Amino acid sequence: QSLRIAHGYPAQSIIGATYDHFAEYVEANSDIEAEVFALTLLDLRQASPGLTSGVADVSMVLTPYFQNEFSEANFPADLSMAANIDGRPTSIAAAMAGAMMEYIIFNCPDCLMQIAAQNQVYLATAPGTQFSLLCREPLASKADVEGKVLRSSTNTFRRWTEAMGATASSISGNEMYDGLNQGLIDCTVNAVGEMSNFSLFDVVKGITLAVPGGTFGGTGIGHFNLGYWADLSVEQREMMARGMAETAAFMSTAYVRQAQTDLAKAREMGIEVLEPDASLAEATAAFTRADVATIVQLYTEQYGVQDAQAKAETFQALLAKWKGLTDPLDPTDQAALAELLWTEVLGKVDYETYGFN
Amino acid sequence: MKTVFAVTNRLLALAMIVAGVAVVLMMLHVSLDVVTRPFLARPLPGTTLIVSDYYMVACAFLPLAYAQAVDGHISMDAAAHLAPPRAQYHMAGFALLIAVVVFALLTWTATHDALTKFRINSFSIEFGTRIPTWPSYFLLPAGCALMTLISALRLLEYALGRLAPPK
Amino acid sequence: MTNIEIGLTGVAILFALVAMRVPIAFSLIAVSFAGLWIVGGERAAWGTLSLVPYTFAATWTMSSIPMFLMMGYVCFAAGLTAGLFRFARLWTSALPGGLAIASIFGAAGFAAVAGSSVACSAAMGRIAIPEMTKYGYDARLATGALAVAGTLGALIPPSILMILYGMIAQVSIGQLFLGGAVVGLVTALGYAVLIVIRVSLDPSLAPRVEEAVTWRMRFAAFRDVAPIAGLIAVIFGGLFGGFFTPTEAGALGATLSTVIALARRSLSWSAFVDAIRETLMTTATLFIIGCGAALLIRFLALSGTGVFLTEAVTGFGADPVMIILGVALIYLVLGMFLEPIGAMLLTLPIVLPIVGDAGWSLVWFGVFLTKLLEIGMVTPPVGMNVFVIKGVVGDLIPLSGIFRGIVWFLVVDLIIGALLVLFPAIVTFLPALIG
Ligand code: NA
Ligand code: NA
């Protein structure tokens, strides 16, 4: 038996290491031979259709790339800024991972139906760290941000950008360096770890931490082809799930470590690292609270999500629960997070039937 | 036979006109987006999406058949021109056979995809504006189907011994 | 058969099909689809075939390719290019082999609005070769100079090759453009020096043009190049000055060249339609090869052949200079037979990790690679630029004669290649300075 893993990132990246980790886990705990294809088999936009058609057995589906196919799972992913209501979590990656997985698997039959409609089975999500402002100059207050041009890659961040009196730009990821370098954009809204991924150290002079905040919650690292899943024995499915708990924890903590390394390097290079001042923090908090209603309305009207208000409340309750569970942990403690994801979510699943109803 | 060629030529011209309009619109649309940027608070909605999903797909795949009709697809001449003329004639026929097979496969699978996108009414939301994406998926099978048709007609000419020698 | 054997067999069949004049794109798709079916099964084959073409073309960054192509074709159709040659001719009239040098610098100017080397050879060749023939230039020198002058088209920005490389290697296209501009100008200078030396040693190669050129004429010629110089200034000024991105520069360049041509009343409707038709033909034929190459990459990956080939290359040793020499040798050999975009798309997934791990900057490598691939454009047996020039000159000189005229220029190219390896800063200093 074999397992074909494909992802659209370089082999040396965190996501590359994440899937290498999963492949090692599978080979160590079963007779299945796992092979990882980095970049060569599926790119980011091909991941979901590639799983549907069986080009790969496992891949990472960035669900927001497929707005209508995965609208039910994208809905809680879009609510990630709400994790900062009532205080920033120790690790937004850990809190969101747990909340997303528990929500999709146990609280959202609509999510599972959409995923099954794509001929897929869902096991895990591994979000990154807080979105921050990576800028050409240090910005601390709301007045600093006003009138600036910010690269905002999601609709939520575009709304925030406009609420702050700035202009949203949608230039692509590989134009980010040129855009910052030439002053076409003043900041890009990204996780701090993208500093090294996109080699931005030469063009960024100021980092404003955790505004707008939130994270990319649509990183479905554990999407399987349904036919492949059906051919596995119940023990093998359980092994895969256990491996996915390990893998999601590996990736989330690796992002935290990368953010720490990048921040240290930035400070060393004389890049100013700031907390938002009261004006910017309060404006962002006010936006975040109001935006929950906007997102509910958007998903109801544009994507036809049913009972969106109730779903939002369910998800926010789960976020609060997971903040409680993960806040006491060291954000780089992979084993502890893996254990939580297993005992609270994946360990409770019935692998005889999961994926088939 | 003559009618078939006449109809095909019309279709070729139509495909080139649509692709030509797409390339000119792409040029104007992106330029407008850049030029108005200093004056508008937000970019024109959906520029990136319309450029990549509509204009690009149109100008990449609709002209395929025209290129085939004028023998414009890039091939390597180095070894082939050493062969005797008779062999070269058969090689041209063989290349057409490969073209028919390849583009029939592409037409088949792309049509299937386009119908799926149509069924789920695929769309995208940019800056709150809902932009349907499914129609663009029909451009690919359209271009490939026309390419298959042209290649098949030329293969028929080959079988009848009437294929013009390569340039 | 093992999967790797299937992969290698597939590559062999691919070469056989290409040698039989099956278009490259069709050969790539046919071999890859069959190979994916055998190695990965029916679902993988159909799945990949349905995923690749749409996602390959429907990309924002790729849109700069038709746009830069269009800018070049419109400039040519509107006669903006002819002024460049006339200008260069007046300013180089005092030098030995002045017309040949003029065509090199004319091509360098046209390269700044054209995205590919074939376009550059074709445009300059049509203008300059008849002139040189008229003045009794050696046919080998004339055609050789034009074939190599074309290679500046891909080195001096904009460059289709560099855009594709930047997409795949995830490096800044702006930085590639800056590095390419330097190497392109160094190459042009190198060619010019070579022409001066050769014509000085053997004046019969290029009889002196008996024509009274006054300074007044020289300065008056600025009017001929003003529109195209203005276009270049706006595009690159805006690009490096931060008003728009490389992708947007393409569309603006195409629009501006059309507007300039219309304002000068030098663009007829039929010439405009021709420019669009050329743009569409080139775009479609390039993109379908790109789709085929993307399919082949997947076949090589799934069969394990890609890894096998990588390990074969890295087996030669770990010294960065040795690795880069090995890579250069591979591209020089591939360049003899393959069309550059196909060669690049085919090999980058294997080569990039090797080069990166050896510590070379990927921006530097992008420029170096472009130089290598452009050398392949003028080497036998398959040299696209040479074929284009042959198409322009007709029966003036046999194909082999043009290839012989290129030999001396190849020496210059190899010296420049060696300099790039010895002094990588030639490429990287400008991007670092501005960046
Ligand atoms: Na160029
Ligand atoms: Na060659």
Side-chain angles (χ1 to χ4, degrees), chain C residues 335-337 376-377 379-380 382-383:
Chain C
M336 290 170 72
F337 304 99
M377 296 294 278
T379 53
V382 181

Side-chain angles (χ1 to χ4, degrees), chain C residues 313 322-332 351 354-355 365 372:
Chain C
V313 174
M322 289 310 291
I323 286 176
I324 214 70
L325 289 182
V327 168
L329 194 65
I330 292 172
Y331 278 107
L332 290 178
V351 169
I354 302 177
V355 172
F365 182 66
L372 293 174

